[in-house]
Amino acid sequence: MNVTDGKLDILLLGSGGREHALLLKLVESPRAGRIWVAPGNGGMDELATPVTLDQDDPAAVASFATDKGIGLVVIGPEAPLVAGVADAVRAAGIPVFGPSGRAAQMEGSKRFAKDVMARAGVPTAAWRSFTDEASCLAYVRSLGGPCVVKADGLAAGKGVIVAQDVDEALDGVRECFSGGFGEAGRTVVVEELLQGPECSLLVLTDGTTLVPLATSQDHKRALDGDKGPNTGGMGVYSPVPILLPGELEQMTQMMQATVDQLRRDGITYSGCLYGGFMLTEDGPKVLEYNARFGDPETQVVLPRMRGDLVEAFLACDDGTLDRVDIGWGDDWAVSVVLTSAGYPGSYERGKPISGIEDAETLDGVTVYHAGTRRDGGGRIVTDGGRVLDVTAVAGSFEDARNLAYQACDRISFEGKTYRHDIGIKAIKGRTSL
Ligand code: AMP
Ligand code: GLY
């Protein structure tokens, strides 16, 4: 392992806005040495060395990390976690930020997560799981009304059908079992449809100690007014101002109970656990868990965090998180996602982007790259559906929101598309949600 003056070389896996935000926070740490990124994007190569590596291949990642003397591997997305990349890196004796393949089943299998929650006594939507289509269809018919149909496995955010009536739910069940979501749809979870505003809570954990990071709220639908298809996330803000007294404590306790239950089951969950909650009239209930930082939630949570991310990540791995200090500014962050026209459907790539530097001259604005790359001439061009996360941090929610939209206006590329109502729900308050 290369350790010079206490500095460690780091390998970061992933290519989204989340990984750009992680990179900017990692380089702030006095412990960060050289950083490699696999594969990275157009905004990350100034701070990190891009490397071609199959990020979902445990042996390939472990052998690269060993060869380069890496002192910390940070895993951004869910697929390498579920594939067991963290296990292989740990087995090679290298510290890694991210849960083991078994622990990542909290995201990799909705049935697994529901079962852990049931045994931990964590409030969540009532549910049943099915492995054959006929009994699943019969159950949905017996419910006779709205419900939520979920493919059990990873489906890139697409395997959830929020059905307003029985016919929609039956279609969802058929889609899952017809192979529409591949292996992920072989088991199907049918849930009670919950009502209320959503709130995400990211926590760091070493399997025992839990450090809650800030709350945030994503906007999943493609169009203004929460219309249109579901996406990976179109914009986000932090913290969530509509929480009632006690709700943050309740959510934190539920996540602690979940991590404790996993430990009793012989699974040490270390890394980031992402709790997706619905704030129902009966209190917060868990909608889902993810085994990683949220995207775009990370882009509004990390800029507000005070503390050394390298130290915190190492402490998650070696079980010493109780010794780590993390603080928060009393500022607000809003991030608006600029997408390629057509997203989440098909879209074009390779459109030159201008105005990023101009946007970043605004005090408090950071533009995280997501779907971008450099073309042969070194210009930044679009290379994905979610292209840039335009993020502003300011002393008030309104200032952060106005600043983010001002920055969006300064950026141009053909097909630039975004929602204009990010944060409106927070301003209107809970009754309007
Ligand atoms: P998930 O991937 O499980 O978070 O689901 C994606 C989205 O579907 C969530 O962010 C919610 O908007 C919605 N959703 C999931 N489960 C439920 C539920 N039980 N009741 C209402 N909406 C849900
Ligand atoms: N923003 C939703 C997610 O990261 O899954």
Side-chain angles (χ1 to χ4, degrees):
M1 225 175 269
N2 303 330
V3 183
T4 318
D5 301 334
K7 287 185 192 288
L8 304 166
D9 288 354
I10 298 170
L11 169 64
L12 171 61
L13 301 184
S15 63
R18 165 183 52 210
E19 284 75 24
H20 194 188
L22 284 164
L23 176 63
L24 289 184
K25 201 74 192 171
L26 288 168
V27 297
E28 275 179 20
S29 166
R31 303 233 26 216
R34 179 173 185 182
I35 304 185
W36 303 81
V37 60
N41 59 37
M44 292 162 79
D45 56 7
E46 280 168 11
L47 295 169
T49 310
V51 45
T52 308
L53 181 63
D54 180 356
Q55 59 171 347
D56 296 338
D57 179 344
V61 175
S63 101
F64 177 87
T66 306
D67 290 350
K68 297 291 181 204
I70 299 292
L72 172 65
V73 175
V74 178
I75 303 176
E78 60 277 15
L81 293 167
V82 172
V85 169
D87 307 68
V89 175
R90 277 197 186 99
I94 299 168
V96 55
F97 179 76
S100 66
R102 270 182 88 203
Q105 286 300 301
M106 290 301 287
E107 175 165 3
S109 164
K110 297 197 188 289
R111 183 172 62 174
F112 177 93
K114 282 288 202 183
D115 180 55
V116 172
M117 283 187 261
R119 284 179 298 109
V122 167
T124 181
W127 64 288
R128 281 189 54 185
S129 74
F130 298 88
T131 49
D132 84 286
E133 185 171 351
S135 358
C136 191
L137 290 171
Y139 177 67
V140 164
R141 281 195 195 96
S142 77
L143 292 176
C147 66
V148 183
V149 176
K150 298 184 174 182
D152 181 64
L154 294 185
K158 291 184 195 122
V160 175
I161 299 109
V162 181
Q164 300 302 331
D165 57 43
V166 177
D167 287 338
E168 218 183 315
L170 293 173
D171 285 347
V173 172
R174 289 187 193 105
E175 190 181 359
C176 289
F177 281 110
S178 72
F181 304 116
E183 277 296 307
R186 278 177 183 274
T187 299
V188 172
V189 172
V190 179
E191 280 184 19
E192 164 198 16
L193 187 125
L194 299 175
Q195 307 284 353
E198 289 182 44
C199 177
S200 303
L201 178 62
L202 305 179
V203 305
L204 295 182
T205 178
D206 58 8
T208 303
T209 301
L210 203 87
V211 174
L213 304 180
T215 53
S216 56
Q217 192 178 53
D218 192 7
H219 295 62
K220 293 233 166 80
R221 300 297 190 104
L223 306 175
D224 284 2
D226 289 334
K227 304 264 178 356
N230 261 325
T231 69
M234 296 294 292
V236 61
Y237 53 80
S238 174
V240 178
I242 53 154
L243 288 184
L244 301 175
E247 282 183 331
L248 178 59
E249 291 72 18
Q250 287 169 15
M251 293 191 292
T252 307
Q253 276 164 16
M254 289 178 206
M255 296 187 76
Q256 180 76 58
T258 303
V259 168
D260 291 345
Q261 181 61 47
L262 282 167
R263 201 176 57 249
R264 283 195 293 277
D265 293 344
I267 298 175
T268 302
Y269 188 106
S270 77
C272 179
L273 183 62
Y274 165 134
F277 291 87
M278 195 160 260
L279 307 173
T280 75
E281 282 185 353
D282 304 327
K285 293 189 178 179
V286 176
L287 288 180
E288 64 160 347
Y289 278 122
N290 292 321
R292 49 165 175 86
F293 276 96
D295 187 351
E297 288 86 341
T298 308
Q299 291 87 304
V300 287
V301 168
L302 287 187
R304 301 185 47 245
M305 189 189 124
R306 314 279 178 267
D308 183 330
L309 204 60
V310 174
E311 290 291 357
F313 284 2
L314 289 169
C316 287
D317 183 63
D318 70 10
T320 56
L321 194 58
D322 56 336
R323 294 188 217 149
V324 168
D325 248 349
I326 286 178
W328 297 91
D330 55 4
D331 45 14
W332 296 82
V334 175
S335 184
V336 178
V337 180
L338 302 184
T339 63
S340 299
Y343 174 79
S346 60
Y347 50 83
E348 293 180 13
R349 295 171 193 257
K351 309 292 180 194
I353 305 173
S354 62
I356 295 177
E357 279 176 21
D358 186 25
E360 290 195 315
T361 59
L362 292 166
D363 196 25
V365 169
T366 306
V367 180
Y368 297 108
H369 289 236
T372 73
R373 65 176 167 84
R374 279 182 202 278
D375 69 5
R379 280 183 318 176
I380 299 287
V381 299
T382 65
D383 194 36
R386 292 194 290 173
V387 177
L388 297 167
D389 304 314
V390 182
T391 306
V393 179
S396 76
F397 188 85
E398 283 77 3
D399 285 350
R401 185 174 186 277
N402 292 336
L403 202 54
Y405 276 108
Q406 237 180 300
C408 288
D409 286 342
R410 296 190 177 192
I411 297 173
S412 310
F413 58 88
E414 194 187 315
K416 178 180 95 169
T417 308
Y418 57 102
R419 276 182 63 162
H420 297 83
D421 62 347
I422 303 301
I424 290 285
K425 287 198 257 189
I427 292 169
K428 285 191 184 156
R430 189 149 182 171
T431 48
S432 70
L433 294 164

